[in-house]
Amino acid sequence: MELRALHSEAKPLKIAALCGSLRKASYHRGLLRSAIELSKSSVTGLDIEVVDIEPLPFLNTDLEVDNTYPATVEAFRKKILEADSILFASPEYNYSVTAPLKNAIDWASRPPNVWADKPAAIISTGGGFGGGRAQFHLRQIGVFLDLHFINKPEFFINAFQPPAKFDSEGNLIDESTKERLKQVLISLKAFTFRLKGKDC
């Protein structure tokens, strides 16, 4: 059987998607919804699941008992461990990542570090630089966690420059931005297979 046929029959890559914004109508949630739609149409072979970080308690090692974590934390860590790669939708707050996202990152980094050797990508939107400084900080954090980020294409979008990128409910409506997001997913897919030692 040809290699391409083998891959077409293989299980899709499991992508754990994390949104750094807790706001229900946030543009970053809209980006992830669009990524899921793209994975069902034009970028096949991906199974993107948004992993909710809102229920996680604030990191407190007093909550670690007999080398176990609270149930919500254990469930979150399991999702990260089982993922083939990670997609971060990261807003920029004060030149950095948001508190909820940093909290999630820290919980999953507790021993054993379940981020280790995961391929990852970052998508951001907002005003000004479109979240680029938060991405730079997240990449710095990833160095210590052994996360391997794709370098290109970069994806940080100014949400407020015309044409309109999102509707009033936070859904991505700009086709050129969707195409850029598609290229991120293609790159993440290829990089994930590359780290696994396989062809995509």
Side-chain angles (χ1 to χ4, degrees), residues 30-112:
L31 289 176
L32 293 182
R33 285 193 298 272
S34 188
I36 291 170
E37 291 170 2
L38 288 167
S39 73
K40 295 177 179 178
S41 56
S42 55
V43 189
T44 59
L46 300 180
D47 178 15
I48 302 176
E49 178 186 0
V50 177
V51 181
D52 190 9
I53 65 174
E54 186 171 4
L56 295 173
F58 283 125
L59 181 70
N60 180 351
T61 54
D62 287 344
L63 300 177
E64 302 176 19
V65 180
D66 297 328
N67 297 316
T68 63
Y69 301 96
T72 53
V73 174
E74 291 282 11
F76 172 73
R77 287 170 54 85
K78 186 172 185 290
K79 290 284 188 183
I80 301 303
L81 181 63
E82 293 176 348
D84 294 301
S85 52
I86 313 296
L87 178 61
F88 292 96
S90 177
E92 181 178 313
Y93 287 9
N94 300 319
Y95 281 27
S96 187
V97 299
T98 66
L101 182 56
K102 183 60 165 61
N103 186 57
I105 289 170
D106 290 345
W107 270 125
S109 73
R110 298 293 297 158

Side-chain angles (χ1 to χ4, degrees), residues 7-8 10-16 34-49 84-87 121 181-193 196 200:
H7 280 309
S8 68
K11 292 182 179 179
L13 293 175
K14 296 177 67 173
I15 312 296
S34 188
I36 291 170
E37 291 170 2
L38 288 167
S39 73
K40 295 177 179 178
S41 56
S42 55
V43 189
T44 59
L46 300 180
D47 178 15
I48 302 176
E49 178 186 0
D84 294 301
S85 52
I86 313 296
L87 178 61
L181 180 56
K182 174 183 172 181
Q183 295 307 314
V184 170
L185 296 179
I186 290 172
S187 180
L188 179 59
K189 178 182 177 181
F191 187 50
T192 302
F193 276 121
K196 288 176 173 289
C200 59

